[in-house]
Amino acid sequence: MITVLDKFHPDKHYFKTPYPHVVIENALPQDLYNKLAKDFPVKEMQEKLPLIEGHTYRYLANDVLNKKTIPVSEEWQTFFETHTSQTYYEKVLDIFKNDMPYSENQIRTAIQVRGVDETAGDMVTDTQFVVHNPITTGTTRTTHIDNPQELYAGLLYFRQATDNSTGGDFEIFDTNEVVGVHKLKGREVSQDTDKSLVRTVKYQPNTFVMFLNTGKSVHGVTTRQNATVERLSINIIAETRSKQNLLFHLKNA
């Protein structure tokens, strides 16, 4: 079972501040990455899936593994099975265990893929194809905090060989604990929030970044300049099943 965490070494890839996160370059074996990149279903998603907020397509694990809305390669099928599995979930928890703010009772549980069985268990996992169409101004993700249901989030980048743009990089910020956000702007933090940039993870092929989601996990994506092709990535997440079961609280979230 090959995962994006197989090369993980805590001394090299783990960062405690400003909140726990992991950065791994060349995360997957190159031959596997090349196969996945070749078979990333960009055109199929654009043809068959709804466009979200005018710029984004998402293809979720339940649709990939069970509904099979768009057929994927055997390598992608295995990738999605692996990264939504109990084994992978436990591996992520072990990485973050020394900095975990949530109780064992909250997170140490049997998981299922989101959307499969809405009556079983408290935690669910998801893996998603994400395609961002090129936009001419701004960014698809301003500085924000993720859904308070979310336990962790990972991004594996699939920058295309023909992508000559600049930007699209992942930014990690240090702030005081955020208590309120703009819900209608994707939980964007207020412009007057005192924040400082700690780390920039370049949008490069086969680069993986993952973070523990807390009330301090402020991050964003830099503006892409001269973008003519799609920005491609894979989201790998775990979250609580119920919207009433939040891991932390944000005003207006």
Side-chain angles (χ1 to χ4, degrees):
M1 185 176 79
I2 298 173
T3 80
V4 292
L5 295 173
D6 289 351
K7 295 181 181 178
F8 173 78
H9 189 287
D11 293 339
K12 183 178 181 181
H13 302 119
Y14 189 81
F15 305 90
K16 287 177 173 283
T17 58
Y19 48 84
H21 63 281
V22 170
V23 180
I24 306 174
E25 296 177 349
N26 301 310
L28 293 175
Q30 193 61 46
D31 59 342
L32 175 59
Y33 175 85
N34 290 344
K35 290 178 182 177
L36 294 175
K38 176 178 176 291
D39 293 329
F40 201 114
V42 179
K43 298 305 179 186
E44 294 88 343
M45 290 173 62
Q46 291 172 328
E47 291 171 358
K48 296 184 178 180
L49 300 180
L51 185 63
I52 303 169
E53 297 180 346
H55 50 65
T56 302
Y57 298 91
R58 294 180 184 272
Y59 187 26
L60 312 185
N62 187 33
D63 297 323
V64 172
L65 297 174
N66 300 309
K67 297 180 182 179
K68 302 186 185 299
T69 308
I70 298 169
V72 298
S73 68
E74 182 178 345
E75 288 83 5
W76 272 122
Q77 180 82 13
T78 299
F79 184 96
F80 271 66
E81 290 171 351
T82 297
H83 290 87
T84 54
S85 68
Q86 188 76 39
T87 300
Y88 181 81
Y89 176 79
E90 297 289 345
K91 190 169 189 174
V92 174
L93 296 193
D94 287 343
I95 286 174
F96 287 128
K97 65 182 178 182
N98 292 333
D99 298 300
M100 181 64 68
Y102 311 121
S103 72
E104 292 282 297
N105 288 339
Q106 284 179 290
I107 61 175
R108 291 286 181 180
T109 181
I111 56 91
Q112 287 196 7
V113 174
R114 182 168 62 179
V116 171
D117 183 353
E118 296 301 330
T119 65
D122 293 327
M123 301 295 295
V124 293
T125 56
D126 204 352
T127 296
Q128 308 169 0
F129 288 105
V130 183
V131 174
H132 291 293
N133 284 346
I135 58 176
T136 55
T137 59
T139 173
T140 57
R141 282 315 261 149
T142 53
T143 307
H144 67 282
I145 289 184
D146 282 2
N147 190 334
Q149 288 180 250
E150 184 182 271
L151 174 60
Y152 63 77
L155 292 165
L156 179 64
Y157 288 140
F158 279 83
R159 183 176 184 136
Q160 300 181 79
T162 56
D163 189 348
N164 296 314
S165 66
T166 58
D169 304 325
F170 187 87
E171 293 187 319
I172 292 172
F173 293 91
D174 189 14
T175 67
N176 294 324
E177 187 130 358
V178 175
V179 296
V181 292
H182 297 293
K183 181 177 182 179
L184 297 181
K185 296 182 179 180
R187 292 174 301 279
E188 178 181 319
V189 299
S190 300
Q191 293 297 317
D192 59 357
T193 299
D194 185 16
K195 60 182 183 293
S196 58
L197 179 64
V198 172
R199 179 166 287 104
T200 299
V201 181
K202 291 293 186 181
Y203 172 54
Q204 291 297 336
N206 206 10
T207 293
F208 179 67
V209 56
M210 175 177 69
F211 60 91
L212 184 64
N213 195 38
T214 73
K216 277 183 59 69
S217 300
V218 177
H219 57 283
V221 177
T222 61
T223 301
R224 292 177 75 202
Q225 303 286 350
N226 302 315
T228 58
V229 299
E230 301 84 359
R231 183 176 183 269
L232 308 182
S233 61
I234 297 294
N235 283 3
I236 303 171
I237 67 173
E239 65 181 26
T240 63
R241 182 183 302 280
S242 170
K243 292 181 180 180
Q244 282 69 51
N245 184 12
L246 302 180
L247 295 173
F248 58 95
H249 292 276
L250 290 173
K251 187 177 180 181
N252 298 328

